[in-house]
Amino acid sequence: MELRSLARISLPKDEYVYLLGMAISVFISNNGFIIENIINTDSDYSWYDLIDKELGQLKSPIAQTITKNAGGEIAELFSDIVYRRNRIIHSFRITSSKNEQILATKDRRTHKQFDIEAEYLLEFIKLNNKLSDLLHKYRGY
C-alpha cells in the first residue's frame, strides 16, 4: 500500500514526515523511561498515575527522585525537550519560503514565529539521545 494515499491532505516530503515521526517516537520512549526511573527510585509512585500526568506535572516527581539523587541535569534537559516537543505539537502547517510543506510555531516567551525545519527535528532527536544516555547512566546500565 502506498502510505501517502492514506491522507487526502498534502504532506511534507517523506524525509520530513519520517523525522517528525521519529522525533515524537523518541520523545515518547524517553517520557516512559523518565517514569520508569522515578518508579525505580521510589516505589511509592505508581506508573498508572504518572503515565496520565501532563508533562509539567512530572516536575515534582522528577525533583523528588532523580534530581534528589543525581542533580538537575536530567530535569533541566527534560524540561528543554518538553518545551521543544510542545512547539512541535502546537505547531501549524505552512508552505515555507522554499515552497515546501513544513511546520511552523512561535516561541512562547518571545512570540517570534519560526519554521520547524529538518534541523530542528534532528536537534530534538539528538537531545533525546542525550537524555536517554543520562537516564541509562542514572539507572546504572
Side-chain angles (χ1 to χ4, degrees):
M1 168 194 307
E2 167 64 29
L3 292 178
R4 284 190 164 272
S5 68
L6 294 172
R8 295 186 310 270
I9 300 166
S10 64
L11 294 171
K13 290 181 177 180
D14 286 347
E15 179 183 348
Y16 188 87
V17 172
Y18 183 80
L19 286 173
L20 183 57
M22 183 184 291
I24 298 304
S25 185
V26 298
F27 175 81
I28 290 168
S29 178
N30 273 339
N31 188 59
F33 200 18
I34 284 273
I35 291 170
E36 181 183 325
N37 275 282
I38 291 169
I39 293 166
N40 284 332
T41 303
D42 185 342
S43 61
D44 287 341
Y45 286 99
S46 161
W47 179 87
Y48 292 97
D49 293 333
L50 294 174
I51 198 68
D52 287 334
K53 289 191 179 295
E54 293 178 10
L55 295 171
Q57 294 175 329
L58 289 177
K59 286 182 181 181
S60 178
I62 291 169
Q64 294 171 9
T65 57
I66 297 170
T67 301
K68 183 178 177 181
N69 292 308
E73 184 178 12
I74 291 173
E76 290 171 18
L77 181 55
F78 185 64
S79 180
D80 180 37
I81 288 171
V82 167
Y83 179 81
R84 292 168 188 254
R85 193 248 12 173
N86 288 345
R87 300 307 355 120
I88 294 169
I89 297 301
H90 298 289
S91 64
F92 47 91
R93 284 276 300 280
I94 65 162
T95 302
S96 73
S97 60
K98 298 175 187 173
N99 204 32
E100 296 175 340
Q101 294 293 309
I102 63 170
L103 301 177
T105 192
K106 69 173 184 63
D107 185 299
R108 288 189 72 177
R109 292 164 253 185
T110 67
H111 302 290
K112 182 179 178 185
Q113 183 177 319
F114 64 92
D115 295 352
I116 297 176
E117 296 181 349
E119 292 77 16
Y120 185 94
L121 298 173
L122 289 167
E123 180 64 20
F124 182 79
I125 292 165
K126 288 177 187 175
L127 290 171
N128 272 279
N129 287 337
K130 180 178 178 182
L131 178 60
S132 179
D133 290 345
L134 290 171
L135 289 169
H136 275 92
K137 182 178 176 184
Y138 173 75
R139 182 73 186 274
Y141 289 118

